[in-house]
């Protein structure tokens, strides 16, 4: 009962605080609803980016994977810092100069309107079939496990998960539909730092307990129990071979942190370039620390449970939380978990609404539509997508390599084709609009055939790298026959102040150095 009370109290506090901060905001304008009025600060951007990225698919999926595979999966996190450096120094200054609201908007400036529409539709589909359902389902696993919803309601486990999925989906939709990006960002900031504190508490309390009051002694015991789990260099037949860092991984990370609408929309809503760069680089610092929250607990769980949960690795994190947290804190932590779910869910809904309203509806159905009408269309879009996500969520259960691995495999369908034409747009000036459209379709078809139809015996991240090279070759060939007639992208200069943050380059050097040091230290284990 106490757990439920603390859960409701914390969740209600976040909702009330978000409402209080928003009560005087103008949410019926395009910039106000979709970009938070271009007023976001570095701390808010970092908190929102972290929580949009780190949700229960990480807490459950990555801890489940590290329980089974150890620290080799750290590559997903620490290499993010490198991509955030590139985003801060190169991509975001260009986006802000152009005054972009969406990433597909850039593709029209560089290529043509059809390319913009194709990518917008790709993104909408990816939201429905990949990210939203997995976020909802992993959130439901956590909440169901902590509160035993099925037992309380006297229903089956599957029915309990369904009920939890619906409740989370409805609550997340309310934030996104009625509050826009600023509501998402404000609630994210509170929950983001709550997640950081609460997430750190789980391994620390566990290590203190294992080490009889000394966390370092606890860490030594965990290490001595299974030193192989601390190795960061994945073998060729592992879930994440080390070689993939130099093939598809780098393309994926660049896309995710520099071109992914859901993530980069926070930086597009910055009040100036200084705050955007602060937000991106602060996020880089947090991503270096995040493995303590989403990887170390899984390895600690192996110390506690051995291989008894190998066949159900997605239950590892909820079981560890219940084992190590004092009963009075379980409710607060469950509320933070709920916040992480809501954050990613409502962030994706807001991005989807932005893309559909500005990249599809305004251009094809309402060229003269007012800001108020665009906001209404955005809210309607969020509602429809939320319903679809709730219906699809239970279908992602029982992924053989865990939910996080499934999410990454599905992301490859859309991320790599879009990344290839985005990077070609920035760095290969002769690539034509026809070439971009052909590459999108070739890349998507190639990946689906090799990964899901013929199931080629090559790691899917290597397939990302092969797909990227194939797309570039296709673009070169098609551009030869259908040459480019649109060379430059016009850049405005008065949307926000474009003065660079003075610590951008020093912080970039520090983040890159730390990433290398992690691999040098743990790679020699």
């Amino acid at each position: 009962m106490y757990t439920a009370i603390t859960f409701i109290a914390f969740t209600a506090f976040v909702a009330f605080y978000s409402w209080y901060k928003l009560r005087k905001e103008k949410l019926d304008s395009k910039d106000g609803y979709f970009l938070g009025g271009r007023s976001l600060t570095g701390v808010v951007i970092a908190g929102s980016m972290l929580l949009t990225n780190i949700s229960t698919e990480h807490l459950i999926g990555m801890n489940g994977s590290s329980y089974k595979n150890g620290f080799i999966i750290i590559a997903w996190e620490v290499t993010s810092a490198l991509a955030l450096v590139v985003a801060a120094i190169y991509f975001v200054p260009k986006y802000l100069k152009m005054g972009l609201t969406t990433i597909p908007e850039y593709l029209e400036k560089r290529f043509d309107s059809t390319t913009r529409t194709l990518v917008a539709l790709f993104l909408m589909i990816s939201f429905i079939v990949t990210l939203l359902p997995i976020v909802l389902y992993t959130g439901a696993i956590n909440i169901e496990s902590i509160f035993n919803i099925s037992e309380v309601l006297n229903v089956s486990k599957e029915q309990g998960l369904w009920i939890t999925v619906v409740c989370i989906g409805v609550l997340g939709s309310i934030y996104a539909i009625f509050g826009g990006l600023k509501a998402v960002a404000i609630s994210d900031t509170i929950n983001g730092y709550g997640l950081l504190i609460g997430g750190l508490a789980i391994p620390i309390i566990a290590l203190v307990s294992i080490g009889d009051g000394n966390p370092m002694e606890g860490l030594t015991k965990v290490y001595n129990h299974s030193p192989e789990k601390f190795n960061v260099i994945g073998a060729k037949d592992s879930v994440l071979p080390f070689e993939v860092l130099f093939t598809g991984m780098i393309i994926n990370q660049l896309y995710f942190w520099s071109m992914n609408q859901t993530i980069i929309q926070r930086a597009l809503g910055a009040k100036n370039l200084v705050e955007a760069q602060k937000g991106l680089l602060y996020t880089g610092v947090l991503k270096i620390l995040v493995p303590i929250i989403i990887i170390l607990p899984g390895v600690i769980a192996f110390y506690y449970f051995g291989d008894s949960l190998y066949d159900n690795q997605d239950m590892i994190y909820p079981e560890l939380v219940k084992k190590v947290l004092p009963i009075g804190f379980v409710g607060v932590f469950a509320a933070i978990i709920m916040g992480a779910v809501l954050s990613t869910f409502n962030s994706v809904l807001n991005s989807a609404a932005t893309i559909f309203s500005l990249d599809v509806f305004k251009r094809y159905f309402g060229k003269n539509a007012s800001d108020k009408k665009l906001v209404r269309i955005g809210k309607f879009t969020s509602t429809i997508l939320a319903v679809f996500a709730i219906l699809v969520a239970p279908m992602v259960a029982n992924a053989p390599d865990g939910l996080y691995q499934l999410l990454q495999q599905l992301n490859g369908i859309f991320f790599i084709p879009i990344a290839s034409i985005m990077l070609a747009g920035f760095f290969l000036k002769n690539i034509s609009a026809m070439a971009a459209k052909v590459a999108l379709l070739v890349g998507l078809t190639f990946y689906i055939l090799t990964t899901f139809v013929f199931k080629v015996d090559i790691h899917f991240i290597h397939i990302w790298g092969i797909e990227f090279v194939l797309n570039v070759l296709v673009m070169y060939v098609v551009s030869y026959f259908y040459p480019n007639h649109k060379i430059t992208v016009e850049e405005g200069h008065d949307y926000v102040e474009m003065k660079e943050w003075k610590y951008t380059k020093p912080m970039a050097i520090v983040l890159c150095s730390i990433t290398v040091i992690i691999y040098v230290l743990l790679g020699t284990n």
Side-chain angles (χ1 to χ4, degrees), residues 188-356:
D188 283 0
T189 304
I190 304 170
N191 285 315
Y193 293 105
L195 178 65
L196 203 58
I197 295 166
L200 285 170
I202 301 299
I204 289 171
I205 292 171
L207 292 175
V208 167
S209 174
I210 293 168
D212 298 320
N214 185 338
M216 292 309 297
E217 179 64 27
L219 184 61
T220 301
K221 285 184 178 180
V222 172
Y223 176 84
N224 290 334
H225 178 261
S226 48
E228 73 283 356
K229 296 285 186 186
F230 286 80
N231 179 39
V232 297
I233 307 296
K236 289 189 187 308
D237 60 348
S238 68
V239 70
L240 200 66
F242 180 66
E243 295 83 1
V244 302
L245 272 66
F246 308 99
T247 58
M249 177 72 80
I250 190 169
I251 306 299
N252 177 75
Q253 297 291 50
L254 277 176
Y255 171 80
F256 191 84
W257 294 105
S258 303
M259 308 164 201
N260 182 348
Q261 179 71 29
T262 305
I263 293 293
I264 213 68
Q265 191 167 334
R266 277 107 196 87
L268 299 182
K271 67 195 305 185
N272 52 45
L273 178 59
V274 168
E275 297 302 327
Q277 290 179 321
K278 281 182 184 178
L280 289 162
L281 295 171
Y282 290 166
T283 306
V285 173
L286 295 173
K287 290 295 284 183
I288 295 288
L289 298 173
V290 148
I292 300 172
I293 298 172
I294 62 175
I295 296 177
L296 180 58
V299 176
I300 293 172
F302 185 77
Y303 175 88
Y304 277 125
F305 306 119
D307 58 6
S308 62
L309 291 171
Y310 258 33
D311 294 331
N312 198 10
Q313 66 189 63
D314 292 321
M315 289 305 298
I316 276 293
Y317 194 68
E319 291 300 317
L320 184 66
V321 169
K322 288 194 291 186
K323 183 172 182 66
V324 306
L325 265 192
I327 189 69
F329 291 97
V330 172
V332 174
F333 190 70
I336 292 169
I337 295 291
M338 174 70 92
V341 181
L342 297 180
S343 165
T344 303
F345 186 71
N346 57 30
S347 296
V348 175
L349 285 183
N350 183 262
S351 295
T354 306
I355 288 170
F356 183 79

